Amino acid sequence: MSTVLDAKYKMLDNSEKGINRGDRYQIISYLHVLAAERAGLAFPSKWKSDYVHAGKLDGFGGSLFKLPLMIPQNVESYDEFVTVIQESEMSFTSSLIEIF
């Protein structure tokens, strides 16, 4: 199953499943031009690093998702930041492996 992943360096946590209109149209275009089955956005998040299914498409088909990478916000030290970001990266990578 082929997948398109578009990385964004902007906060997309605004809603649980929603993807803003411009980003949604962009990844749908990628999905159809590349004849993929799935398209998603990877982005930084303040809260979580869990895969979020964002919906299925009618017409030509396909599905959309969001994949956040949690960036630590309230840490006491650099060492704590490193520990937390490594855990977040492992979770993000595990989600990628499951997707692909």
Side-chain angles (χ1 to χ4, degrees):
M1 183 178 286
S2 60
T3 303
V4 175
L5 184 64
D6 186 11
K8 300 289 186 186
Y9 190 72
K10 59 184 176 181
M11 300 304 280
L12 298 174
D13 283 328
N14 299 346
S15 70
E16 186 63 26
K17 289 188 179 180
I19 297 173
N20 76 42
R21 190 162 129 192
D23 292 332
R24 186 174 56 246
Y25 290 160
Q26 184 177 23
I27 63 172
I28 289 171
S29 295
Y30 293 157
L31 179 126
H32 291 308
V33 166
L34 298 171
E37 288 95 25
R38 294 176 298 205
L41 297 173
F43 64 97
S45 173
K46 291 182 180 180
W47 298 288
K48 60 186 174 184
S49 290
D50 297 326
Y51 173 93
V52 178
H53 177 75
K56 285 199 162 283
L57 300 172
D58 292 330
F60 291 117
S63 64
L64 305 179
F65 65 91
K66 291 170 41 172
L67 187 60
L69 171 65
M70 194 274 294
I71 309 297
Q73 301 295 308
N74 299 313
V75 293
E76 299 293 321
S77 67
Y78 176 75
D79 289 337
E80 183 182 358
F81 177 87
V82 169
T83 300
V84 176
I85 195 72
Q86 286 175 337
E87 291 169 0
S88 179
E89 289 168 346
M90 286 174 46
S91 174
F92 183 85
T93 303
S94 293
S95 293
L96 279 177
I97 290 168
E98 289 176 23
I99 291 168
F100 291 99

